[in-house]
């Protein structure tokens, strides 16, 4: 029997007064997390996304400021850091899932995947870390995946390589900042029931559909909800997670067992 998804965290106030920035905030895990940060008392959530239309659905919500920006745009990211100062929480959520094995992955796919999934985090951390270090306070959360150092997934070669790199990046930043009050952790979900996941399933060949059915049939018998991943991100953003840094948080309903 499938387990039931947890509701949104029910003790609001854990992020009281914190100023947060979330990438890929217009849909899926990023959106659920941006809204959860707000519910938990964040005083500001900067919602960054490349999709202007979807971002509009967050406009007008008190506490949210939307920013239409490509996470590959280093100049735009540095300008944003000048615009919004004193950020306490940076959630690097944006990512692109390339489907293919090593032989079908072109150099263009390879570079694009690394630019969106890894280099974007380099830009954001470089832009927002200095003010965290000045305050000696901050939480950086990077989005990886079960497809990384944790597991090889069929047809996800470059995706898994980028997400493994995110784990290395996280540990490096955490190590450099360990005595300076800034924490950096990484979240590794198994497949999550988001819009893009559903679209990807529709594109798949029959053999891959079998694989998806296998995932859905495993252990908990369902995919994670975006809210369940958001609940973990709220914890990592909060001071309750004060002893976590450089830690890898798998959230997978037993997928890696
Ligand atoms: P999604 O794909 O449903 O939505 C991603 C959002 O990112 C969209 O609003 C899109 O407009 C935005 N975006 C895409 N490219 C961008 C860019 N260059 N600059 C700014 N914004 C951009 O997202 P999701 O499924 O919630 O996934 C979010 C993250 O979680 C990704 O890093 C993904 O790799 C990771 N992840 C997802 C799953 C899953 O099954 N959904 C599992 C493990 C990890």
């Amino acid at each position: 029997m499938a387990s039931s998804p947890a509701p949104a965290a029910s003790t609001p106030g854990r992020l009281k007064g914190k100023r947060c920035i979330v990438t890929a905030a217009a849909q899926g895990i990023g959106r659920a997390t941006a809204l959860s940060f707000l519910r938990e008392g964040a005083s500001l959530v900067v919602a960054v996304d490349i999709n202007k239309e979807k971002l509009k659905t967050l406009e007008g919500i008190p506490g949210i400021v939307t920013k239409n920006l490509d996470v590959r745009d280093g100049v735009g990211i540095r300008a944003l850091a000048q615009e919004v100062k004193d950020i306490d929480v940076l959630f690097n959520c944006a990512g692109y899932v390339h489907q293919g094995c090593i032989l079908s992955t072109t150099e263009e796919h390879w570079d694009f995947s690394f630019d969106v999934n890894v280099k974007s985090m380099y830009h954001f951390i470089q832009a927002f870390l200095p003010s965290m270090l000045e305050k000696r306070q901050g939480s950086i959360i990077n989005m990886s995946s079960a497809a990384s150092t944790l597991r090889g997934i069929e047809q996800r070669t470059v995706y898994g390589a980028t997400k493994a790199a995110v784990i290395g990046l996280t540990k490096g930043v955490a190590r450099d900042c360990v005595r300076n009050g800034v924490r950096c952790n990484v979240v590794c979900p198994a497949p999550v029931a988001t819009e893009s996941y559903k679209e990807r399933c529709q594109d798949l060949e029959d053999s891959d559909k079998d694989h998806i059915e296998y995932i859905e049939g495993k252990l908990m018998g369902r995919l994670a909800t975006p809210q369940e991943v958001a609940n973990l991100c709220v914890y990592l953003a909060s001071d309750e997670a004060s002893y976590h840094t450089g830690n890898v948080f798998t959230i997978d309903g037993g997928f890696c067992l």
Side-chain angles (χ1 to χ4, degrees), residues 24 26-29 49-51 69-71 93-95 143-145 159 163 189-192 194 196-197 200:
Q27 73 175 33
I29 299 164
D49 204 286
I50 201 172
N51 189 322
L69 184 65
D70 186 328
V71 295
C93 182
M143 178 57 85
S144 177
S145 169
Y159 180 70
K163 294 301 190 180
V192 182
T194 60
S196 65
Y197 174 81
R200 282 196 296 279

Side-chain angles (χ1 to χ4, degrees), residues 39-232:
R39 271 198 301 276
E40 290 287 339
S43 58
L44 172 73
V45 177
V46 183
V48 174
D49 204 286
I50 201 172
N51 189 322
K52 214 174 184 171
E53 285 311 302
K54 285 195 172 145
L55 265 185
K56 279 189 187 151
T57 63
L58 290 170
E59 281 170 10
I61 300 176
I64 290 205
V65 169
T66 60
K67 184 73 189 177
N68 184 214
L69 184 65
D70 186 328
V71 295
R72 294 172 300 161
D73 176 1
V75 173
I77 293 163
R78 284 192 290 280
L80 180 61
Q82 292 306 311
E83 227 176 277
V84 282
K85 300 207 184 275
D86 290 332
I87 289 295
D88 301 293
V89 177
L90 164 63
F91 178 28
N92 281 313
C93 182
Y96 165 72
V97 185
H98 175 260
Q99 304 193 50
C101 68
I102 186 72
L103 296 177
S104 65
T105 303
T106 64
E107 200 171 336
E108 200 184 0
H109 296 144
W110 186 272
D111 290 341
F112 181 77
S113 299
F114 269 89
D115 284 350
V116 175
N117 296 4
V118 190
K119 197 172 176 189
S120 62
M121 298 188 185
Y122 153 79
H123 284 312
F124 269 94
I125 296 170
Q126 264 208 347
F128 287 93
L129 180 60
S131 74
M132 292 181 177
L133 290 173
E134 241 168 68
K135 290 196 297 182
R136 297 185 68 81
Q137 182 195 303
S139 171
I140 299 167
I141 305 162
N142 294 329
M143 178 57 85
S144 177
S145 169
S148 57
T149 54
L150 301 176
R151 271 198 66 165
I153 307 281
E154 270 178 298
Q155 304 291 320
R156 296 284 186 277
T157 306
V158 65
Y159 180 70
T162 62
K163 294 301 190 180
V166 170
I167 295 176
L169 168 73
T170 302
K171 287 182 179 282
V173 171
R175 185 66 189 84
D176 287 340
C177 299
V178 71
R179 291 185 188 274
N180 298 314
V182 178
R183 300 180 292 105
C184 184
N185 291 291
V186 58
V187 173
C188 301
V192 182
T194 60
E195 290 88 333
S196 65
Y197 174 81
K198 287 172 200 158
E199 280 162 22
R200 282 196 296 279
C201 290
Q202 277 162 14
D203 286 348
L204 294 173
E205 302 290 322
D206 282 350
S207 62
D208 291 322
K209 276 198 183 117
D210 291 346
H211 183 64
I212 299 298
E213 280 164 19
Y214 159 77
I215 293 166
E216 289 182 338
K218 217 169 173 333
L219 296 170
M220 284 204 181
R222 63 173 178 82
L223 302 177
T225 66
Q227 187 60 55
E228 286 172 311
V229 183
N231 291 348
L232 173 58

